[in-house]
Structure formats: C-alpha cells, structure tokens
Amino acid sequence: MAAAAALLLCALLIFSGGPARASEETSEASPAEHEVSGAGNETEGGSAHGEAVITTLPIVSWKWEEVEVPYLVALWILVCWLCKLLIEANHHVTEYIPESALLICCGFILGGMIWGADKVQTFTLTPRVFFFYLLPQIILDAGYSMPNKLFFTNLGGILVYAIIGTCWNAASLGLSLWGCHKGGAMGDIEIGLLQYLLFGSLLAAVDPVAVLAVFEQVHVNEVLFIMVFGESLLNDGVTVVLFNVFDAFVTLGGAKINAAEIVKGIISFFVVAFGGSLLGFVFGLLISLLTRCTKKIQIIEPGFIFVLGYLAYLTAEMLSLSAILSITFCGICCQKYMNSNMDESSVQTVKYAIKVFANGSETMIFVFLGISAIDKTIWVWNTGFILLTLLFIMVYRIMGVFFLTWILNRTRLVPIEFIDQIIMSYGGLRGAVAYGLAVMLDETKIKEKNLMISTTLIVVYFTVIFQGVTLKPLVQWLKVKRASHSELTLIEKLQNRAFEHTLVAIEDISGQIGHNYMRDKWNKFEEKYMSWFLMKPSARKKQDRLFNAFHQLNLKDAMNYVDEGERRGSLEFIRNEGAFIDFKKKFDDEMSEAMPDIMADMSDDHGRAPPKRRDTVPSVSLELHEQSMRGNRAAEDFNSHHLLQQHLYKGRKQHRHRYSRSHFDINKDENEVQEIFQRTMKSRLESFKSGKMGVAPPKTITKHTKKEQQSKMLNGKNRSYLSGDEDFEFSEGDSASGYDASFPTRVAYRAGDGIENPAFMPDVDPSSTMHIPPWLADVELDSVAPSQRAQVRLPWTPGDLRRLSSLRTSVRSSDSFQLTDDRQGDRDELPPPPPPPPRRDGDSV
Amino acid sequence: MGSSSSNLNTIPNSQELMQETGFSAAHLLRLYERFEFLDKDNKGHLRPEDFEAVQELSTNPIGDIIIGSFFSPGQETVDFPSFVRILAHFRPAEKNRTRDGAQPEPANSSTGKLKFAFQLYDRDRDGKISREELLQVLRAMLEMQVTEEQLESMAERAIQEADLDEDDAISFDEFKKSLEKVNIDHKMSIHFMK
C-alpha cells in the first residue's frame, strides 16, 4: 500500500514538475492560484492548439494543460485520503497519537518529497482554498450534528469563554509579547504594539478543526466537550472582528486611533457576530422551508443543505460578517426540521455525505498544514519570540479558563470541576484558522510577516501534535469523567422526560424563573409556531421523542432478531421472518399521516368527543392498519412483492433493472405486482382452505368477525376491539386485492392474541404446531398477506416483546428460540401476561 | 405580603428547617413568600386546589402527579415545613459538605433525588413501580400522540429493561440501577433564586 502511495506521488511529482517551474515566481502557488495561472495557460494552450497545423489525424494527443488544475486537485485529494488510510491501517499507532498529528507528519514527508523534486514549495495551504473550499463543510457538519439541547443549555458558559476568553487571550498575548520586546527579549525585530495585538488576535482563537479532531478520539464527558467545542466554534466571530479591527488599526497607524474608532470596533463586534448568526438562522429557516416541498425531487433533496449552507457562508463572507458563525447556526437551526421533513433515506444521505465532506477536508487541512511547513522561504527563527509565544499561550489560556470558570461556577447548577478545567485549558488547540489568518497578513504593513507565520506554524504543531498526543494520557491520568457510551434504554428516556417535566413543575410551584422555565416556554413556542411553519404536517405528527426512541429500540431488537436467526440458520427464524417485516411496516403505518384522519373518522363514527380519543382507538394496530392500507398502498405492494420475490417466485422472477437518474426504482408496476400477488394468493388459498377450514364469502365473515369479537371481548382478551365496521369497509374496498381471503384466519389469530405465526393458530391443536414440517410452515407463512399478519399484533403484545428483548438481554434466556417454542408449548397453561389495565377507570380518574 | 414575611422570625422553626434542608435564610424567605402567595386564604397550609391554581402547572402533563407528591398519603394539606422539605430535593448537591453517618441522607443527594422521582411513580407507596403505575405516568406524558396499546407495550418494555428479579415491577434498587448512567444531580436540580 505504501508502495502504491509512493508511486502515485512520484507520478504526481513528475506531472507537477512542469507547471511548478512555470509558476516559480509566485512562491506560494496553490491549486487555487494554479486555477488562475492554469486558466491562463489553458487559453494560451487552446489558441496554440487552434493554430497548430495538423498534418494528419491524431489518434491520441497529450492534453495535460487542459486537465491540469482539476487533475491536480483530484490527485491531491486522493493522496491525502490515502495518507489517512495508511494511518488508520496502523491501529496501534492511532491509539497513542491522534490522527491529526499523524496527518501533519505525513504532510511533512510529502512536503519534503515535493521540496526535493522542485526545490520550492509548490503546494501550500492558501487562505483562499482553506476558507472557501475546505473549512465550510467542516463547520457545517459541526452545526448539523450539534447536540442542540446540550449546546443551548451551556450556551451562557460557552459565550463567556468564546468572547471574554478570546479577547483576554489576544490582549494578554499581544501586550506580554510587546512587554518582552521592550525588555529586549527578542533582539532586533520591527514589530509595534498594534502588530503584536494583531498577532495576538490571530492566535487567540481555539481552532474548531483541531479541537474536533483531537477531542473526538478522547471521549471526555459531554459537558466538557461542548464547552471546548462550542467555544472553538463561536469564538470565530470574535477572532474575525479582532483581526479586522487590529488590521485596520495597523493600517491607520497608532496616531489616528481614538475613542471613536474603538467604539466602532466594539459595535462591529456585535454586528459581525450577531449578524452572522442571524444570517445563518435565516438560511436555516430557508432550508427547512424548502425541504417541506421536495417530495417530488427526493433525489436531490439532500443537496439543499450543502448548497444553502455554503451560500450562507459565502453571503456572510460577502457582507464581512462572521462566516463560521453563519454556517454553524444554519446547521443548528435546520437540523431538526430538515430531518423530519425529508425522507428517511435522504436524511441518511445527508448524514453520510456531510461526514464524507467534513472528514475529507479535515484530512486535507492537516496534510497541507504539514506540507506548508517544508518551505525555506517562510522560516524565520527568533528563539525568544517563538518560545515566549508558546509560553504565553499556555499560561494565559490556563489563567483565562480558571478565572472565567470561577466566575461561571458561582451561578452554575453543576459546577465545572477542577479536573475539567485543566482539560479545558489544555485543550486550547490552535489550528489552520490561525495559520490561514497569518498568511493573510499584509507583508507591506507587517515587516515580520514570515516570523509570524513560522511562529503560528510552530504553535499549531505544538498544540496539535504535542498537546494532542498528551491529552489522552492526561485525561486517563486525571480520571476525567468520560462520556458514557450507553445503549440508550427506554426507561432512561422516559425518566429523562419525567425529570424535565418535574423540574418545570417544581420551578412553577416554587415560583422560580429558571432555565427549565425558559426552556419550557421556548419548547411550547417552538412546537406551536416554528414547527407549524417549518415542518410538513405529516412530520409534525411523529414528533414524540419518547415514542421514537421506543421505535428505534424495537427496530434494533427486530434487526438483532433476524440476524440471530440468520446466524443460526434455524427454522424458527424462517417461520418468524414475517414478523420482522410487519414489525417495521406497521410502525410506518402507525406513524403515517393517515393516523389523525383515522382517529378523527372513528371518533365521528362513534359519536365520541375528540378528547376521548385515546379510548376510541384502542386496538389501533388493527383498524389503523386496515385503514392506512389503502393510503399506503405503495408500501404494501412493495412489501408483499418483496415477500413474494423472496419465497415464491425464484424461478420465474422477472427482475427488471431500470436506470433512472431521478428515482431509485423498485418495481412499482402496480399491475405486475397485483397480478403476481393474486395468482399466488389464489393458489395458496387453495391449499390453505383445504388445510384449515371451510371458505366463506368475505362479507359474512366480517359479520362473523364481529360476533366473535364480541365474545372475545367478554373474555377480556380483546377488550380494545371496537367493532367490525372498519373491517367491513375494508373488505369492500379491497376485495379485489386478495387480502380479504385472509379474514378467517385473522379472526382466529385474534383469539390467540400474541401468536405471531399462522402456524400457531389456536384452532390447530397447539401441541401439533411443533410437528409442522418446515416446508409446510413456510407455505403457511407465505399464504398470509403481510397486512394480515400485522393484525396479529406481533410487536405490541407483551409476550412477544419479551421474546424479542430476550435476545438483547441475555439475562432472561440464552436461547430465545427455544423460549419461543416453549412459550408455544405451554401457552395454554400460561395466564394472559398483561393484566388488562382498567383503561376506562384510568380515564375517568 | 412583603412586610409580613420580611424576616425569618415569622417562619416557624426556621432554624431547624434551614439546618435540615440546607436552604439559606434568603432561600427560605423567598419560598415562604411563595408559600403565602399560593396560600390564598391564609390557612397556613396548602391544598391541592392551591397548586392547581398555578397557571403553568395546568399545561404540565405530569403536573397532577407532582402535585400529588407534595401530599403524604391520606393527607389533604401540606404545611410550610413539608413544602420546603419536598423542594429541598431539588437543591443542587454540594460536594464539600460531608455529613456524618448518623444523620439521614440529605434530600438533595442523588439518592434523595432518585427517591423523589421513584415515588412519583410509586403512587401506592409499596416500594415497587407496578406496570399500572408506570402506565399512568406514560399515559400522562404521551397522551395524544400514541395509542393505548402502544403505551402498554412501552410500559412493558420499560419494565423489562429495569426489572432484574423478574417480578414484573421495578423496585427502588432496580430503578436506581437502570438510571445509574444518568447524571441525576444535573437532571434533578434547579437553581433556587435568592
């Protein structure tokens, strides 16, 4: 692998040899500047091509100039990613040394090779490339994946560190260096007070890229993480302002600075920071609104956040507002609405794509930080200046953090611990933002620009490499509270919610207006107006976090269940596979837009008042399903098709692959699916009828159902079933689809409440189910439409849940399948597991 | 009401209360003002109706349950000391104060906080959260969005997650264990204003 990389690199160097010499006069050529010079070349080359006299038709021709710039860019991306691949292949190394440090070292090597070949550094990180092409996606990712609640809970502290802390760092560093300069510690260099302050301001900010890279690998507790990370994101506003202000001051010269200018500087801080945030917020709203109506263009739906996020960044840059703040808040603001507006697969796409971009460009940034160092022209050594800078950065960071934390802890509910403060001070990593700003300095105004660049580079290397490497042992040694990577449990979620409500209630009772009160107010406002405005109506329905957690957990269980079954290759798994499919689908149905309508319908039908809804839709798993089946026909078809394809039609399977740029096409041909389905149903039904019971026309069965239902209700088992009306409607509406054929069985299932498999129908002697041969069981399974099996209420019945979760919590049983069978065997003896809760009583309370 | 409660002497047993709950005099005064404010007819104690008069509470899904937690079983009223003792559960825990073993666990320790949370569920105070008790809280919190059956299976699931001895109920120890990863101090503390 190393050989391959080296080879590629050699190829790269050979190719780049030509253009490099061409652009030698610009000492810091870069892809971006190449673009300019390359474009020039191209036009020249083009005209040359035009003028070239063709004597014969060239079969192939060498057109390096035409592809040079994109080719180099692509090649560099590849090389950087290969570096990462190499590094990550050595897992034992990355355990001790953070990836970012290793990438910088890779950069050193690459830089050395280029230097060896060209004798000049052809490729360096230019501010333009960094700020316009590499940084935005990283920050967008940070904003998009920001844990909002944590962030806003700690926002006060974060702002204090980001604003006051950064100002303090800049001022103290600048003034101290100036003092040392006056004291003669640095020999003879031409830097004035303002230039020191400018230098201080560019080095003041903790770098989001470096912090993220290092802290991601050290799993510190979430409060500590959000403090450091939030600070690194938000201090950009301060840095930009400080940098611009001091840059302007340096240009103006000390004499022209008066109180008015300073006041202007302070005002500009507020404008830049809040303007940037506001702009990001607006763009975030825009994204949310746009994703409300992208149903028809689902394929490009995930692209909007990238385009609009980038636009937010560029617009802020254009208005000289804080671009980082803008794109951060854009991500923070849109994440919730976007994720619920878009299709699930689009959300996944965004999540992955944003990581690809962010991680990819992070890799490139670190590699190029390394490469940029291998350049004789920028290195100016001044021991005093460099060492003092390093020292002051460390010392003032520690002082700042401890002092600010001391102030914050006086009002914080849970004080920041001493150990956490140490890590916070130590985690003050500087990175590419500082370097980018340093390169942007104007050489005509600042004579010692190169000294500043080299000092910045040394500070970056020191913090990223040295502090990065030592941070992990330090965290371990100090026993910093780590993030608990717990598998989230439902009870935790539930309890967290209960805690929230409790705190709000207690604040209300004791008459306090605290965080919880404010958060509660905000949540209510958000729910009422923001969600209404920014979310699709259908998405608003599935907002309940607690229920979503439950949904996720169930999905995971089901997944494990199938995996387990597949691993064992056991028959039980095949028999129960349908359970899995229904499981998923039913949730979808449950959550679909159809829900409120049905609920409304039903309460109307039965003349009940809406507040009693809970009461009126008890066995929703049944009615709901039937109702929404009409609405969710496509999903239904897909599922049945899937099922059939898997088990029945292997031989005659007609797999059509259709290419489409605008759809992921699954075979949705209604007729075809219907046709296959009906044919299958018919043949299955034949065997089914002969095997089970006499056939009756659907309608009479429906009535039958009703009666039987009532008798069941007396048993107290099916207390929640309302009436057969829905069935009736259903059978009329869908009599052609073949679903109705399965009605008789359903009735039977209801009796067996909790039995998920048709093979275990109560009218068959339970003991005999054990003897059903595998092939028969399989047939049984397939003979039942998925919709119908959903009615069996697999995931909902406690018994089944227990069976599912027994897979997960191995405490209960090591062999879940055995358990299933056992349960089947002694079902008769088992008392109904859940004592029917006195629903009506509960309601009347 | 400001004048009547402006000094500690108007509060009965103020010193003991401060000792017991850890509230400062300023806190206590403020809470006393609040207490008097809630106590509309100056009865000297609060009834459930007094709590229900708090506007914001009516929108809180588990408001009723929390109000219920202020009243010990069988009692219809709560006086000021009990009121403060309940609220003391929500004081942030302090690190440095070491208590000798003889004293009972302070209300604001994480166990104390957990105990309070536990008895929000455990309405019949039998030391166990039964399925029905859990269901009641769940129902209150999810109300409109979910159906009864879903609620039931959620309750089932939650109980299973916590239930270690398979008695189909959650005891306090099980409750504590299931939440050991949650930062209780953080989640069950509010900032009492001076």
Side-chain angles (χ1 to χ4, degrees), chain A residues 411 413 486 490-491 495 499 501 503 508-509 512 544 557 590 618-619 719 793 796 805 839, chain B residues 34 56 60 121 132 141-142 145 148-150 152-153 157 160-161 179 181 187-189 191 193:
Chain A
T411 56
L413 203 55
S486 62
L490 185 66
I491 188 143
Q495 195 50 51
F499 283 148
H501 287 312
L503 290 189
D508 289 339
I509 288 173
Q512 317 278 340
D544 197 287
D557 281 354
E590 219 74 79
S619 68
R719 63 204 177 282
R793 310 200 305 161
W796 301 106
S805 60
R839 205 165 22 77
Chain B
R34 181 69 185 172
E56 290 87 352
N60 194 316
Y121 294 95
E132 186 49 36
M141 287 202 293
L142 290 165
Q145 290 121 323
E148 190 66 24
E149 231 164 289
Q150 289 168 328
E152 271 171 38
S153 54
R157 164 116 206 180
Q160 265 181 39
E161 281 175 351
L179 295 178
K181 287 191 187 121
K187 294 252 157 81
M188 277 290 271
S189 302
H191 205 264
M193 288 186 287

Side-chain angles (χ1 to χ4, degrees), chain A residues 1 82-94 99:
Chain A
M1 203 156 284
L82 283 177
C83 286
K84 190 176 176 108
L85 193 134
L86 274 180
I87 289 166
E88 284 300 323
N90 301 311
H91 203 67
H92 47 279
V93 181
T94 46
E99 199 189 86

